[in-house]
Amino acid sequence: MKQIAVFGYNRLSFEAISRLDKEFYRIVVIDHDPVKAALARENGFETANIDFRSDDDLRLAGVGGHIDTLFCFFDTDSENVFLTLSARALDPNLNIVAIVDSPESAEKLIAAGANKIIDPYEICGRKIHDMLKRPDITEIFDHTVFGRHDLHLAEVAIPEHSFLENMHASQLELRSQYNLLLIGIVNKKVSDRLHFVGEEIDRRLNVGDILVILGPSREIRAFKQDVENEYCHVGPK
């Protein structure tokens, strides 16, 4: 089980760690604000009361020991930079993910040793762009991907005499019938290239094509079983 230490409890860190499967991750939340620490405990998270400015306290929390990943989610960039510097000095191999409030601080966090920078403003900007350019794709991701951690990629080949033959990709309606997302199609007769559904062409399905889908394993199994049953119907009646 991987060990994660989350420094700073706020809306962003709550959303991030709520998406982690607790069967695979042991999470401890650390915040120097006792009110926020108490709120984390009320929400079911393990907490620790340490001073992140103290190397000894960081070691007690497992930094430099059993902690695999550290999230720096304090509200101020200066605190995240300080924590990143201290944690990196204690563990050269630690995976450090830091949030940035000001774009100018991103370089400082990278220089301090952060492996990954999260810029919420950049994410929001991309989200708005996607909403304007591809609202249908964005809506699908909101309903099938975000908020789920039990997601898997799978390939489903279209067999001979399949009801899927000659159907267009847009007719599958995987979202409504299976809560699945069609990522793309591989036309094995032509090449092994994956054609993403985000491309402009609404592709016609052929026997031998491979559908690359994303979703919960139970829904994937149900779709595969239906594809193997030539009498099953998928798509508009």
Side-chain angles (χ1 to χ4, degrees):
M1 178 178 290
K2 289 189 175 296
Q3 311 281 324
I4 298 177
V6 180
F7 285 76
Y9 191 70
N10 47 46
R11 180 58 184 270
L12 287 171
S13 61
F14 172 77
E15 291 293 337
I17 59 182
S18 294
R19 285 166 167 73
L20 297 175
D21 193 334
K22 292 184 180 179
E23 292 185 4
F24 301 101
Y25 301 97
R26 178 174 177 265
I27 302 167
V28 58
V29 177
I30 300 165
D31 199 302
H32 46 69
D33 185 339
V35 175
K36 292 182 178 180
L39 181 59
R41 285 193 296 273
E42 290 178 7
N43 288 330
F45 296 107
E46 178 184 346
T47 62
N49 182 22
I50 69 165
D51 181 2
F52 75 94
R53 298 177 181 83
S54 167
D55 286 351
D56 290 338
D57 279 14
L58 289 177
R59 290 191 184 94
L60 286 175
V63 178
H66 62 268
I67 295 295
D68 302 292
T69 300
L70 187 147
F71 287 173
C72 303
F73 272 58
F74 284 130
D75 294 329
T76 64
D77 289 340
S78 59
E79 289 181 321
N80 289 325
V81 170
F82 186 94
L83 174 59
T84 300
L85 279 169
S86 301
R88 178 58 70 213
L90 293 175
D91 188 350
N93 299 316
L94 181 65
N95 183 33
I96 302 177
V97 180
I99 193 170
V100 61
D101 182 58
S102 172
E104 293 78 16
S105 298
E107 292 184 3
K108 296 179 181 177
L109 283 163
I110 292 294
N115 300 95
K116 175 68 176 178
I117 302 297
I118 300 176
D119 185 344
Y121 298 103
E122 180 183 359
I123 294 173
C124 290
R126 291 181 180 178
K127 180 75 170 179
I128 292 171
H129 175 269
D130 290 341
M131 290 173 64
L132 294 173
K133 189 171 182 180
R134 293 200 175 276
D136 295 337
I137 295 297
T138 301
E139 184 179 3
I140 289 173
F141 268 93
D142 282 342
H143 284 84
T144 60
V145 176
F146 295 114
R148 301 295 297 268
H149 51 70
D150 57 335
L151 297 175
H152 303 275
L153 276 173
E155 295 182 350
V156 179
I158 299 178
E160 292 186 1
H161 311 297
S162 172
F163 60 89
L164 295 176
E165 186 176 8
N166 294 322
M167 183 183 292
H168 282 88
S170 61
Q171 296 177 293
L172 286 174
E173 296 186 1
L174 294 182
R175 171 191 163 197
S176 60
Q177 295 196 30
Y178 297 93
N179 196 27
L180 295 174
L181 177 65
L182 177 64
I183 300 297
I185 303 166
V186 178
N187 184 345
K188 295 294 289 185
K189 293 181 180 179
V190 178
S191 70
D192 291 328
R193 177 177 179 264
L194 174 65
H195 299 275
F196 291 95
V197 292
E199 297 174 352
E200 298 298 331
I201 300 175
D202 185 13
R203 296 190 174 273
R204 184 185 295 273
L205 305 179
N206 298 295
V207 172
D209 286 353
I210 296 176
L211 308 179
V212 180
I213 57 177
L214 174 72
S217 57
R218 181 176 61 182
E219 301 291 346
I220 291 174
R221 287 195 298 270
F223 177 62
K224 283 185 174 181
Q225 290 174 358
D226 288 346
V227 168
E228 293 171 359
N229 179 2
E230 61 180 292
Y231 300 105
C232 178
H233 184 90
V234 176
K237 304 262 195 268

